[in-house]
Amino acid sequence: MIVRIAFKNIWRNKLRSWTVIIATALGIFGGLAVISTATGLTDMRQNNAIRTYVSHIQIHDSAYLKYGGINDQLQNDQKIINGVSKIKQIKGVSSRLKVESFIQSAGGTSGLILNGINPNDEALVTDLHKKLQKGNYLETYKRKPPILISQRTAKKLNAKIKTSIQCSFTDSEGLPAAGVFKVVDIFQTSNSMYDDINAFVRIEDLKKISGLDESHEIAITVTNDNAVEQLKTNIEKMYPKVHVASWRGIAPELGYADKMMDLVMMIFLIIIMLALAFGIVNTMLMAVLERKKEIGMLISVGMNKRKVFWMIVWESIFLAFIAGPLGIVVSFVTIQFLGRHGIDLSFAAEGLRSVGLESTIFPSLNPTYYVIISVLVVTTAILSCLYPALKALKLNPAETLRTA
Amino acid sequence: MIKISNIQKTYDDGNIKVRALRGIDLEIKPGEFTAIVGPSGSGKTTLLNIIGGLDVPSAGSVLIGDTDIAKLTENELIDFRLNHIGFVFQSYNLIPVLTAKENVEFLMLLQKKSDEERDKRILKLLQAVGLEDQINKKPNEMSGGQQQRVAVARALASKPDFVLADEPTANLDSKSTANLLDIMLKLNEDENITFVFSTHDQRVIDRAKRVITVEDGKILKDELK
């Protein structure tokens, strides 16, 4: 009976109840929309970094990380590659030879890192092959060894496909070395800073020019993101003399962004819940003050205060139970839709690329957040109606019947 | 039987003390149809509130049967009111979101009466007040007289020892007043239900079997007709 009266009570003032319900639902939707967009941005930045340059795990010679010397190569890199490739859950292994180079064409000069790669292996580790203008992934070339440069570098060098460019660097003997490469394709990733400082050549070509015979870096991707840390530990045990790092160690800023996002989400949730709490306190207080006489009558005729208290609590719960699912369903449908089709921010593409983001953002939300929001909405509703409910309990029936 | 002895009530807001009742002794026997009358501010509503356990006296005792309700805790008092006292208010005070049937049923639900018992009693009471055809109407779909008759049915739903009615006809026209009084008198005569009113409505006073006049917090006259 108390529950039924409570439910009917919330429809006494339909306009007010719907205002609170819609405001709460919009609050939930707004909060979840922001959280999912921010999550989408963080995920995109993280995934882009992993798929573009970090990969899940990297192996280096310890001295290379410390000094970055051209001769600080991984000893017996092929043995490591073969060993790592046998591990289950490893998706791709690519060795890289990295040389700091001065690059020049007829139209300009630039400094960048020349990455010697095996195109087939690299394709299992990064998405570089998908970021090309023509799709020539160091495959088709004639006399001169092929090179891939970024669109930004091409602009700097005033170069285009088929332009010859010269790369100069110091070889393994410490002597000046140079090679002339032909641009076979131009790439553009979602990270303009990365594009500015990287170019790709075939590893055997770079080995020949530089006189180096091993690699500086082995990049690894895994099939299960959650297994990264465990696999890193396993590889460390297999090869204790080399330095093994997961993406969190290589690019800690990505992990920090993740943690910061958790904090931001927490703040947003608190704001949503505060808005909900104020809405409910206001509505229920109005409802109690408007019904002083009626509540006085209920106590007079024998409804104990515990029941009066629960009647008010149930009214709040009903408001939350209508607003909560409404907000959650609208949020879920919107996030699913935008998660599939994306939010087009191409008008700000250049700015987004400078921080490693693409222009289409795909919002995503961990399903746990829907559960958390549901629990928080009901908890907040109950907590925020306590004050109005306690106010109702303090009413003196004789006084309310006389004066209200 | 209601027996009140030397009831005093003083309202004290810190600055001014108002002595609303100044030592009232009164006995009301089962089956009485009593009107407490007096001008505004005479103390009749305070007296009714004290008899009904809605207000506590500053001194004196209120015995209802064998229970001194002045000594009950707040929760015991609420329980006592539910099971022993019926209330009819000046402005009906029905629950607006409930139908006539649900309003009458409400107290029986609080008493945890069975479905069958509730259904029987609702029908009986609404027939007694002539509203069996208005069973599913909400208060705002009924006239003032009809609402007050529902309030009488509600007051009787919990099978109280007596019914207290505070100015029950104050908001009713002559026809509705006469109708309501007919119903209450019939219930009083046929089922020996005790009614105690506070009123200054001459139409009620004329039909009351006992009239207690209160003035300045004291009983001025106590007349049996």
Side-chain angles (χ1 to χ4, degrees):
Chain A
M1 184 67 167
I2 299 301
V3 176
R4 202 168 59 187
I5 293 177
F7 184 73
K8 289 182 174 185
N9 277 343
I10 63 170
W11 303 117
R12 284 181 181 206
N13 191 333
K14 287 191 179 114
L15 181 66
R16 187 169 64 204
S17 293
W18 275 115
T19 305
V20 172
I21 288 166
I22 290 171
T24 307
L26 280 176
I28 292 170
F29 169 73
L32 289 181
V34 170
I35 290 171
S36 62
T37 307
T39 307
L41 280 169
T42 312
D43 288 352
M44 182 197 284
R45 186 160 178 261
Q46 191 175 302
N47 290 335
N48 282 349
I50 289 169
R51 294 297 303 159
T52 305
Y53 63 97
V54 183
S55 61
H56 286 121
I57 298 169
Q58 287 185 6
I59 303 174
H60 297 97
D61 182 83
S62 300
Y64 180 78
L65 288 178
K66 212 168 176 183
Y67 308 111
I70 195 165
N71 287 316
D72 298 328
Q73 300 174 87
L74 284 161
Q75 301 303 309
N76 296 319
D77 64 342
Q78 198 52 50
K79 194 178 156 194
I80 298 173
I81 290 166
N82 292 341
V84 170
S85 300
K86 283 178 193 155
I87 301 173
K88 263 188 183 179
Q89 291 187 297
I90 296 291
K91 189 176 157 198
V93 181
S94 175
S95 60
R96 296 168 183 161
L97 184 62
K98 297 167 87 83
V99 173
E100 284 178 26
S101 170
F102 177 72
I103 183 169
Q104 60 184 359
S105 71
T109 60
S110 183
L112 45 65
I113 295 168
L114 214 48
N115 292 273
I117 57 167
N118 179 324
N120 291 336
D121 293 346
E122 189 69 17
L124 295 172
V125 176
T126 65
D127 281 341
L128 181 67
H129 59 293
K130 293 178 185 167
K131 313 282 183 186
L132 301 169
Q133 274 181 6
K134 302 278 181 192
N136 185 354
Y137 188 38
L138 300 173
E139 287 151 359
T140 313
Y141 59 96
K142 288 181 181 167
R143 288 188 304 272
K144 286 178 193 162
I147 187 169
L148 300 174
I149 58 170
S150 71
Q151 202 171 58
R152 289 170 70 91
T153 305
K155 206 172 172 187
K156 264 188 246 173
L157 299 180
N158 200 15
K160 49 192 180 187
I161 293 174
K162 288 187 181 168
T163 299
S164 291
I165 53 177
Q166 182 178 302
C167 301
S168 314
F169 48 87
T170 308
D171 69 7
S172 58
E173 305 287 321
L175 298 170
V180 176
F181 296 84
K182 181 151 280 186
V183 177
V184 291
D185 214 331
I186 291 171
F187 67 87
Q188 183 182 38
T189 71
S190 55
N191 189 327
S192 52
M193 276 168 69
Y194 175 79
D195 288 2
D196 280 342
I197 57 165
N198 283 284
F200 295 87
V201 297
R202 298 178 73 98
I203 194 166
E204 60 267 26
D205 295 334
L206 194 55
K207 279 181 176 174
K208 207 183 289 173
I209 301 167
S210 63
L212 298 165
D213 51 5
E214 307 273 4
S215 57
H216 292 114
E217 182 173 282
I218 295 173
I220 300 163
T221 47
V222 304
T223 50
N224 176 8
D225 288 358
N226 298 325
V228 170
E229 295 304 324
Q230 184 55 50
L231 287 168
K232 178 208 139 191
T233 310
N234 293 349
I235 296 168
E236 274 175 335
K237 283 179 189 160
M238 286 167 70
Y239 305 103
K241 288 182 181 170
V242 294
H243 182 269
V244 185
S246 70
W247 63 267
R248 284 188 182 82
I250 303 158
E253 73 279 4
L254 296 175
Y256 296 150
D258 221 16
K259 282 193 178 115
M260 205 176 78
M261 195 47 64
D262 283 347
L263 185 69
V264 170
M265 285 179 193
M266 198 58 74
I267 291 167
F268 263 106
L269 286 180
I270 290 169
I271 293 169
I272 294 170
M273 291 308 133
L274 276 177
L276 172 65
F278 280 112
I280 288 181
V281 167
N282 180 46
T283 305
M284 295 316 299
L285 205 53
M286 291 280 284
V288 167
L289 295 177
E290 271 177 12
R291 279 158 37 205
K292 269 164 94 172
K293 193 169 185 176
E294 188 181 316
I295 292 168
M297 177 278 293
L298 291 171
I299 298 170
S300 300
V301 298
M303 185 161 155
N304 65 41
K305 291 195 169 180
R306 189 166 46 87
K307 288 196 169 79
V308 173
F309 176 83
W310 277 107
M311 184 178 76
I312 308 284
V313 171
W314 271 110
E315 288 176 27
S316 309
I317 291 175
F318 280 128
L319 284 175
F321 263 103
I322 298 166
L326 185 67
I328 288 167
V329 167
V330 171
S331 307
F332 179 78
V333 171
T334 311
I335 292 167
Q336 288 301 308
F337 177 81
L338 292 175
R340 199 164 297 160
H341 300 280
I343 303 169
D344 184 12
L345 297 176
S346 48
F347 60 89
E350 198 53 38
L352 288 167
R353 275 190 358 96
S354 67
V355 289
L357 295 170
E358 287 165 24
S359 57
T360 305
I361 292 161
F362 297 90
S364 73
L365 195 63
N366 187 331
T368 322
Y369 271 97
Y370 293 110
V371 179
I372 292 172
I373 282 271
S374 306
V375 173
L376 283 178
V377 164
V378 176
T379 312
T380 309
I382 293 172
L383 290 177
S384 53
C385 76
L386 289 182
Y387 175 65
L390 291 171
K391 192 109 179 148
L393 296 192
K394 285 182 184 159
L395 294 175
N396 177 328
E399 213 167 283
T400 53
L401 287 167
R402 188 167 52 239
T403 59
Chain B
M1 165 83 108
I2 303 165
K3 188 178 179 185
I4 61 177
S5 311
N6 191 29
I7 283 295
Q8 297 185 39
K9 179 69 184 179
T10 306
Y11 292 106
D12 184 357
D13 70 353
N15 299 319
I16 307 165
K17 281 187 181 176
V18 178
R19 291 186 70 194
L21 298 177
R22 301 164 183 243
I24 286 186
D25 295 293
L26 182 65
E27 266 188 33
I28 295 169
K29 294 187 180 68
E32 284 194 15
F33 197 76
T34 301
I36 299 172
V37 302
S40 291
S42 59
K44 57 184 189 301
T45 299
T46 305
L47 179 59
L48 212 67
N49 283 344
I50 287 175
I51 296 172
L54 295 176
D55 218 342
V56 284
S58 308
S61 67
V62 183
L63 277 176
I64 293 173
D66 297 327
T67 311
D68 184 352
I69 63 167
K71 290 181 178 161
L72 296 178
T73 64
E74 197 182 1
N75 282 337
E76 287 170 339
L77 204 51
I78 291 174
D79 234 29
F80 188 86
R81 288 202 297 264
L82 174 65
N83 294 305
H84 298 276
I85 310 172
F87 289 90
V88 177
F89 305 98
Q90 182 180 331
S91 46
Y92 332 130
N93 285 2
L94 297 175
I95 302 172
V97 292
L98 301 183
T99 61
K101 175 184 182 278
E102 289 167 334
N103 265 289
V104 176
E105 188 179 26
F106 177 64
L107 292 186
M108 289 187 278
L109 281 165
L110 291 177
Q111 288 178 311
K112 300 193 169 83
K113 295 267 168 68
S114 70
D115 291 0
E116 197 189 342
E117 196 180 345
R118 289 199 316 264
D119 288 344
K120 263 191 204 166
R121 192 148 177 82
I122 291 164
L123 195 65
K124 188 184 164 194
L125 289 168
L126 286 175
Q127 275 172 346
V129 297
L131 289 174
E132 64 272 29
D133 55 339
Q134 309 286 319
I135 202 160
N136 290 319
K137 285 198 175 163
K138 286 188 177 168
N140 63 357
E141 297 165 333
M142 291 187 277
S143 69
Q146 287 174 324
Q147 287 186 56
Q148 196 61 305
R149 282 189 274 155
V150 175
V152 170
R154 179 183 65 185
L156 295 170
S158 60
K159 293 188 177 171
D161 298 342
F162 59 94
V163 174
L164 294 177
D166 185 15
E167 311 252 11
T169 57
N171 294 338
L172 301 183
D173 58 26
S174 303
K175 197 179 161 193
S176 299
T177 299
N179 193 355
L180 184 75
L181 286 169
D182 288 343
I183 288 164
M184 293 202 287
L185 268 168
K186 192 170 185 319
L187 286 163
N188 171 254
E189 281 160 10
D190 294 355
E191 299 185 28
N192 203 36
I193 292 166
T194 311
F195 282 91
V196 182
F197 310 92
S198 77
T199 186
H200 48 229
D201 184 341
Q202 195 55 46
R203 298 166 297 185
V204 182
I205 298 167
D206 289 345
R207 299 183 71 175
K209 295 173 182 171
R210 182 182 175 190
V211 179
I212 299 166
T213 309
V214 179
E215 210 171 294
D216 295 330
K218 285 181 179 171
I219 292 177
L220 200 67
K221 269 193 289 183
D222 189 347
E223 301 168 284
L224 271 176
K225 289 185 180 173

